Amino acid sequence: MTRTAAALAVFLLLAVASLFAGVSDLTPGAVLAGDPAALNLLLTSRAPRTIAVVLAGGSVAIAGLIMQMLARNRFAEPSTSGTVDAASLGMLCATLLLPDMPVIVKMMVAAAFALAGAGLFMAVLARIPLSSPLVTPLVGLMLGNVIGAATSFIAYRYDLLQSLAAWSNGDFSTILRGRYELLWVAFALAALAWFTADRLTVAGLGRDFSVNLGLNYRRVLLFGLSIVAMVTAMVVTTVGMIPFLGLAAPNLASMALGDNMRRAIPLTALLGAGLALACDLLGRLVNYPFEIPIGTMMGVIGSMLFLYLLLGKRFRAG
Amino acid sequence: MPADLTASPGSGRSGGVILLALLVIALVACTAFMTVGVTGGWAFVLQLRAVKLAALLLVGCAIALATVLFQTVSGNRILTPSIMGFDALYILIQTAAVFAIGASGLNLVDKRLLFLGQAALMTAFAALLYRWLFTGAVRSLHLLLLAGVVLGMLFRSISNILQRMIDPNEFVVLQDRFFASFNTVDTTLLGVAAVIIALAAIAIWRMRATLDVLGLGRDAAIALGVPYKRTTMTALLLVAVLTSTSTALVGPVAFFGLLVANLAYALIPSHRHALTLPAAALIAVICLVGGQTVLERVFAFNTALAIIVEFLGGIVFLFMLVRGAVR
């Protein structure tokens, strides 16, 4: 419990820091004194950005946890299972074919593609006897690469490479009030996992086992993948891809708490949000006054963590 | 693919025939590349295309040789230098150099000198890194693959951060001059690259018999008197040199080596490097030159070759992964 409390304290500290870090000067004193310019800045830019980072971080982390349960693999998450790339392909197709539709429709198309991508990943996994747990992320990363190559080809063909770049690298710098609210829905969906955690855990034990326990395996699997797909699509549509976040947070949480999903969900969400805040804040400060997008920061920090999980454990075991 | 063919040890002659056929196809591809769709001044067009053709030939040979060598040393057919993050490492070193020296300083330095320095640095780094991966506690192939893929992602992300830290105006100038692609082949380096690749190819050719023995596996090779550690390190150094050279010329080409090497194993009914090495190089030339001809002249897609290679290579990789796990 003390660890959770410590995580919560760090998280709150990061959130406050995120409110007051930026190019234009904003001090807590000015806000408390009721300075209208300061309040305006806080309410239109800083607060929405901080909330968006927290919501996206938390929901991506939970989506990663669900994916890890369903694929029965510690290294599975939306960005290592082709789901994110499929969502981005969906966004591209929606932009090409339905350019005048509102964002919500495009997001639904992206979600449908993401679901298909996650389904394809699970189908490929089902054909492989699990000779090594490392095959799962390899398959997912390569599937993502292939989908990504197809996406860039289409984008190249129709001169959309620039739009593709916008949602292929997560970036919170364009978040203002009115441009992030979809993330509340994403977070609510991810929070649904809390109520179905036990079923998802059982489904993670495999088809035969869950049918034996009287669970409608296909329905739970579809439900879990749908949550992952919707969350992924919403995050990709509003801020872009954040690689490895869904991998890092659940693994850090399970180091602290073990593998009980229901217990792990709150801490996972908290760590995901905290990690996203830290990366976003770091990206804002490293090259001040310019910004480095969170997708890039997370790429460095997340892949280092991934390597640590891969090699560190092996060294400890051997 | 390789296992589907019933390989008999004495099939050197049919291997030779296949090599000859590949050579003919490669020559046809080169001729087509030089001559198809020429409008206007022949002299000008031929000169322009000859430079590009030379670059493609060099890159094809470098990638094919590096991949076959790497696969023999690592004892499998799915690992390639670029999957292990070699070319991402080169881009990282290059970006770091640009970042550290800055555009004004770089203009004073001879580009060829800079390239040699980068290649040397890259070779040293690669040797360290991969010696750690190959001789440490890491024994499982899957772990090596995944660690390589993630390392590549780490290198790319760090390069990305450094590129963003460089002054945007400076970066635009630098991008064209220092980051090559199939479309902007770096021609100033052609001479140096040709010499380096030729030397490496000669070194590899002289090693071919040892490589055949190395292909039998570590224990068998040691039992047959191959100085295992030294040979492996030499081979890895050659791989690093070849990969730096090809990346300097056309930028990273992720899955090209995988495609080419496995096509060569499938076509050549022998495990002898005297046959597989030239076959892989010829197939690489056919794919690069032929592919570029078809894409540029027939479909008018100029930069799409790298994307298509990535797509096809990814599918082949997945297929090999799935099939390898089933067996």
Side-chain angles (χ1 to χ4, degrees):
Chain A
M1 268 301 92
T2 49
R3 278 185 190 176
T4 317
L8 193 64
V10 172
F11 165 75
L12 288 175
L13 208 69
L14 284 169
V16 173
S18 167
L19 282 179
F20 295 103
V23 176
S24 23
D25 208 19
L26 181 70
T27 56
V31 174
L32 290 176
D35 177 4
L39 274 178
N40 185 28
L41 179 65
L42 187 72
L43 292 182
T44 30
S45 168
R46 297 288 171 74
R49 178 173 187 159
T50 307
I51 295 172
V53 175
V54 170
L55 291 177
S59 33
V60 168
I62 294 178
L65 184 64
I66 297 176
M67 201 78 204
Q68 289 176 17
M69 279 290 156
L70 294 178
R72 275 188 283 175
N73 192 292
R74 198 159 278 286
F75 303 116
E77 64 123 350
S79 73
T80 60
S81 61
T83 314
V84 173
D85 304 86
S88 147
L89 177 62
M91 266 307 277
L92 183 72
C93 290
T95 312
L96 263 179
L97 302 174
L98 315 161
D100 303 324
M101 287 291 171
V103 174
I104 190 92
V105 176
K106 290 184 187 168
M107 193 282 298
M108 291 310 288
V109 175
F113 272 75
L115 186 59
L120 183 63
F121 172 66
M122 298 299 281
V124 174
L125 280 192
R127 288 168 166 268
I128 310 175
L130 286 170
S131 59
S132 154
L134 302 173
V135 174
T136 307
L138 264 177
V139 167
L141 284 169
M142 285 307 143
L143 194 65
N145 261 359
V146 172
I147 299 175
T151 312
S152 6
F153 186 77
I154 299 174
Y156 167 73
R157 194 77 189 79
Y158 293 95
D159 284 331
L160 281 171
L161 278 175
Q162 285 213 310
S163 338
L164 184 64
W167 62 77
S168 59
N169 199 357
D171 188 359
F172 285 96
S173 63
T174 55
I175 293 288
L176 292 172
R177 189 170 57 201
R179 295 188 59 173
Y180 77 100
E181 279 71 6
L182 210 53
L183 291 175
W184 283 107
V185 185
F187 191 74
L189 278 174
L192 263 185
W194 166 266
F195 297 104
T196 49
D198 295 342
R199 280 163 202 233
L200 290 170
T201 309
V202 173
L205 296 173
R207 185 196 184 84
D208 296 345
F209 197 87
S210 29
V211 171
N212 253 342
L213 288 177
L215 192 78
N216 187 333
Y217 176 73
R218 288 188 72 87
R219 206 160 68 193
V220 175
L221 189 69
L222 190 67
F223 171 77
L225 288 184
S226 303
I227 290 188
V228 173
M230 297 281 279
V231 167
T232 307
M234 286 174 189
V235 173
V236 168
T237 328
T238 33
V239 292
M241 300 183 188
I242 311 175
F244 295 134
L245 182 58
L247 179 101
N251 277 301
L252 291 174
S254 83
M255 277 181 197
L257 288 183
D259 281 335
N260 180 332
M261 184 172 172
R262 186 193 287 282
R263 265 181 66 201
I265 282 181
L267 185 61
T268 304
L270 191 66
L271 285 175
L275 210 54
L277 274 176
C279 283
D280 186 53
L281 206 57
L282 207 61
R284 275 191 268 175
L285 298 179
V286 163
N287 196 21
Y288 188 86
F290 301 109
E291 288 200 16
I292 291 170
I294 187 174
T296 309
M297 285 314 282
M298 202 59 221
V300 174
I301 293 173
S303 47
M304 290 207 287
L305 211 91
F306 199 164
L307 279 177
Y308 169 75
L309 287 174
L310 277 179
L311 301 172
K313 193 181 288 170
R314 190 57 59 124
F315 285 139
R316 252 179 285 149
Chain B
M1 280 167 279
D4 297 343
L5 289 169
T6 44
S8 59
S11 45
R13 190 181 301 160
S14 68
V17 173
I18 294 170
L19 272 189
L20 202 66
L22 287 176
L23 184 65
V24 172
I25 301 176
L27 287 175
V28 170
C30 292
T31 319
F33 182 81
M34 292 296 287
T35 53
V36 170
V38 176
T39 49
W42 273 85
F44 173 72
V45 172
L46 283 185
Q47 196 190 1
L48 195 75
R49 289 189 184 179
V51 171
K52 208 165 175 190
L53 181 66
L56 290 179
L57 289 178
L58 286 174
V59 168
C61 289
I63 294 179
L65 293 180
T67 309
V68 173
L69 195 60
F70 191 73
Q71 297 196 332
T72 300
V73 170
S74 57
N76 72 87
R77 293 184 166 185
I78 196 166
L79 277 180
T80 73
S82 35
I83 293 175
M84 292 299 296
F86 265 66
D87 43 15
L89 180 61
Y90 181 82
I91 300 283
L92 175 60
I93 293 176
Q94 193 168 32
T95 314
V98 171
F99 183 68
I101 307 175
S104 44
L106 279 175
N107 285 330
L108 302 174
V109 184
D110 185 357
K111 221 173 143 191
R112 278 161 291 188
L113 215 65
L114 197 72
F115 163 70
L116 286 179
Q118 278 174 8
L121 203 62
M122 152 98 177
T123 311
F125 263 118
L128 265 179
L129 189 61
Y130 295 100
R131 202 163 80 148
W132 171 62
L133 279 180
F134 275 113
T135 56
V138 188
R139 277 265 150 251
S140 135
L141 173 64
H142 289 131
L143 184 59
L144 206 57
L145 263 178
L146 194 57
V149 170
V150 180
L151 264 180
M153 293 170 114
L154 176 64
F155 295 153
R156 269 190 289 278
S157 301
I158 299 178
S159 315
N160 201 333
I161 287 192
L162 289 180
Q163 287 170 13
R164 279 173 186 276
M165 306 270 281
I166 299 170
D167 180 356
N169 298 322
E170 241 176 49
F171 182 67
V172 172
V173 179
L174 293 174
Q175 191 167 31
D176 280 350
R177 278 198 54 199
F178 290 93
F179 297 91
S181 75
F182 272 112
N183 235 19
T184 55
V185 171
D186 199 332
T187 47
T188 47
L189 295 177
L190 272 183
V192 189
V195 173
I196 292 176
I197 292 174
L199 287 178
I202 292 169
I204 294 171
W205 186 249
R206 289 169 62 110
M207 282 171 76
R208 66 190 186 281
T210 319
L211 287 174
D212 289 344
V213 181
L214 212 59
L216 299 173
R218 179 172 179 272
D219 297 344
I222 292 174
L224 288 169
V226 171
Y228 182 78
K229 250 194 170 146
R230 207 179 66 207
T231 318
T232 313
M233 275 320 289
T234 318
L236 282 179
L237 288 182
L238 285 168
V239 168
V241 169
L242 286 171
T243 312
S244 330
T245 318
S246 89
T247 314
L249 282 177
V250 297
V253 211
F255 288 106
F256 188 63
L258 182 80
L259 280 177
V260 167
N262 281 291
L263 271 176
Y265 304 141
L267 282 178
I268 297 287
S270 159
H271 292 292
R272 287 172 50 216
H273 285 78
L275 294 170
T276 49
L277 284 170
L282 285 173
I283 292 172
V285 167
I286 294 172
C287 291
L288 274 186
V289 178
Q292 194 73 8
T293 312
V294 171
L295 285 177
E296 259 184 40
R297 315 272 181 263
V298 182
F299 293 111
F301 294 164
N302 284 331
T303 57
L305 188 61
I307 301 178
I308 291 175
V309 165
E310 175 98 5
F311 182 73
L312 289 179
I315 289 177
V316 168
F317 183 90
L318 267 179
F319 178 73
M320 289 180 71
L321 204 62
V322 171
R323 208 193 48 167
V326 169
R327 257 190 301 168

